Amino acid sequence: GLVRFSKRYQGVGVIDRTKAGRDAGEVLDGAPTGIPIVSDVAQAVERCRPETLIIGVATFGGYIPKEFRPIIRQAIENRLNVVAGLHEYLTDDPEFSALAREHGVRLLDVRRPRPIREAKQFSDLARKLPCVRIPVLGTDGAIGKRTTALLLTDALMAAGIRAAFVATGQTGLLQGSEYGVPLDSIKGDFMVGELEAEIVRAYAETKPEVVIVEGQGSISHPAYVCGTRAILMASMPSGILMMHAPARKTRSFRRDVVAWPMPTVDEEIRWLEFFSRGAKVFGIGLNHENMTREQVESTVVEYERTYGLPTADPLWHGCGKFIGRIRGMLSTTTR
């Protein structure tokens, strides 16, 4: 995510010893970005001259793995700030906190929610906003919801439609979203209210015609259901864009332990529309993992014929197909 897009940080290198020597953009999308992949912190410091080490993974449970600790120590000792999006906070770790003070660097935990006394509860405000609200949801975790939400926001702006993006996870916040919350770190009583407040703030400050909300997990996922339901209730959507990976057979969560099957497109659409209080899925975004270009193109034709919904791979095709449906929602909202 940070290699593809960031308003907050300028990427100067990626640490990945399995792909060291290559270009990060070439590995991700087949197009070089000038961001080199290096093998370790020492090489990063020497070659990339960074100011900050970002722990750019979401580990199982959000823990700081023990094998990360010497890497974090080395970064701090080299006077790098350290940023993490984990549930275990760097600033709560006595060793890292003491070391950061000693070397004069900052630790930042982007997944830390606001204190409970400052947190908002549901107030039924988003439903009354005079703008279109679109959450980008999906049939699984790690399926392209955030990437598509950002691409859709940019596509709307390019089409002359004012749009705002609201993040719901650590990567969107790391990328520099002005609006959003680390949804899965917030206590259940405040999840909907905190996100609703950010949607309202995005509208109040930028007056967009469309608010795009990043999705989390899946309404049908046994491990991630809470996030999607909270997003639906907080946004009170005008319509839903749904992501799906046709070649994925089992859920993204711990496939080595739980081989939970993927839902069908029909099932997920039914569940999302049931819980959204009348909003409809207006488009299907495809994730092309483990698919050839030809397979994606044939799937687009098949889905559009079967479901009557515009279908596209946002990374390969862009989001232009979805703009027409959104314009229709805008005309209804304006009336």
Side-chain angles (χ1 to χ4, degrees):
L2 288 168
V3 168
R4 284 176 174 151
F5 173 81
S6 178
K7 294 192 294 184
R8 178 168 295 173
Y9 300 101
Q10 177 186 350
V12 296
V14 172
I15 297 174
D16 180 351
R17 66 177 180 271
T18 69
K19 297 179 178 64
R22 300 176 66 183
D23 181 281
E26 184 270 326
V27 170
L28 279 174
D29 298 315
T33 58
I35 300 176
I37 302 176
V38 296
S39 59
D40 52 32
V41 171
Q43 191 177 36
V45 170
E46 179 182 356
R47 181 176 175 185
C48 307
R49 307 295 183 189
E51 298 175 355
T52 300
L53 172 73
I54 298 173
I55 301 174
V57 296
T59 62
F60 173 65
Y63 310 129
I64 300 173
K66 64 177 185 297
E67 59 267 27
F68 280 25
R69 297 191 68 86
I71 299 169
I72 296 170
R73 281 196 298 269
Q74 187 180 6
I76 296 172
E77 289 165 353
N78 278 276
R79 299 189 182 281
L80 300 184
N81 302 310
V82 183
V83 178
L86 302 175
H87 286 309
E88 266 190 326
Y89 302 135
L90 298 169
T91 49
D92 288 348
D93 188 289
E95 179 188 12
F96 295 149
S97 295
L99 204 59
R101 286 193 297 270
E102 178 184 345
H103 292 278
V105 300
R106 294 179 61 238
L107 305 177
L108 176 62
D109 296 297
V110 299
R111 221 166 175 177
R112 187 188 286 274
R114 290 197 298 176
I116 288 177
R117 295 284 181 172
E118 299 174 18
K120 308 289 187 183
Q121 291 186 319
F122 175 68
S123 301
D124 196 21
L125 298 174
R127 182 168 58 90
K128 303 167 188 174
L129 294 175
C131 64
V132 167
R133 300 168 303 283
I134 297 172
V136 180
L137 306 176
T139 54
D140 196 12
I143 205 166
K145 296 182 290 289
R146 184 197 69 256
T147 297
T148 296
L150 289 166
L151 291 171
L152 181 58
T153 303
D154 287 346
L156 287 165
M157 296 290 284
I161 300 170
R162 298 187 310 278
F165 169 74
V166 178
T168 56
Q170 67 273 16
T171 306
L173 296 171
L174 280 168
Q175 288 173 310
S177 175
E178 295 291 334
Y179 306 101
V181 291
L183 192 62
D184 65 356
S185 295
I186 299 172
K187 290 186 182 296
D189 284 356
F190 304 100
M191 290 177 76
V192 177
E194 281 287 273
L195 178 55
E196 177 190 56
E198 286 298 289
I199 293 168
V200 171
R201 187 168 73 89
Y203 179 79
E205 293 181 3
T206 67
K207 295 299 187 291
E209 297 168 86
V210 181
V211 174
I212 304 296
V213 183
E214 175 193 5
Q216 291 294 325
S218 160
I219 197 73
S220 63
H221 198 301
Y224 298 139
V225 292
C226 192
T228 301
R229 180 75 191 281
I231 290 165
L232 287 170
M233 296 301 100
S235 63
M236 292 290 171
S238 311
I240 299 164
L241 180 59
M242 191 184 82
M243 293 298 299
H244 182 59
R248 190 179 293 185
K249 303 304 180 187
T250 56
R251 303 289 189 157
S252 60
F253 179 81
R254 305 223 54 202
R255 291 176 179 146
D256 57 326
V257 176
V258 181
W260 197 277
M262 288 284 288
T264 66
V265 170
D266 307 74
E267 289 171 333
E268 197 76 14
I269 288 175
R270 285 200 303 272
W271 290 327
L272 287 173
E273 292 183 347
F274 175 80
F275 282 107
S276 67
R277 298 177 60 86
K280 299 293 184 182
V281 172
F282 69 87
I284 301 173
L286 299 182
N287 180 318
H288 60 245
E289 69 175 36
N290 299 319
M291 297 178 74
T292 65
R293 190 72 182 235
E294 292 73 23
Q295 288 171 326
V296 169
E297 300 300 342
S298 64
T299 301
V300 167
V301 173
E302 176 192 348
Y303 281 14
E304 291 188 338
R305 181 176 61 244
T306 302
Y307 305 110
L309 297 173
T311 302
D313 181 321
L315 280 172
W316 283 354
H317 301 131
C319 294
K321 281 189 176 182
F322 307 130
I323 301 298
R325 294 294 179 99
I326 294 172
R327 287 191 189 278
M329 295 179 215
L330 281 169
S331 62
T332 302
T333 302
T334 303
R335 290 200 301 270

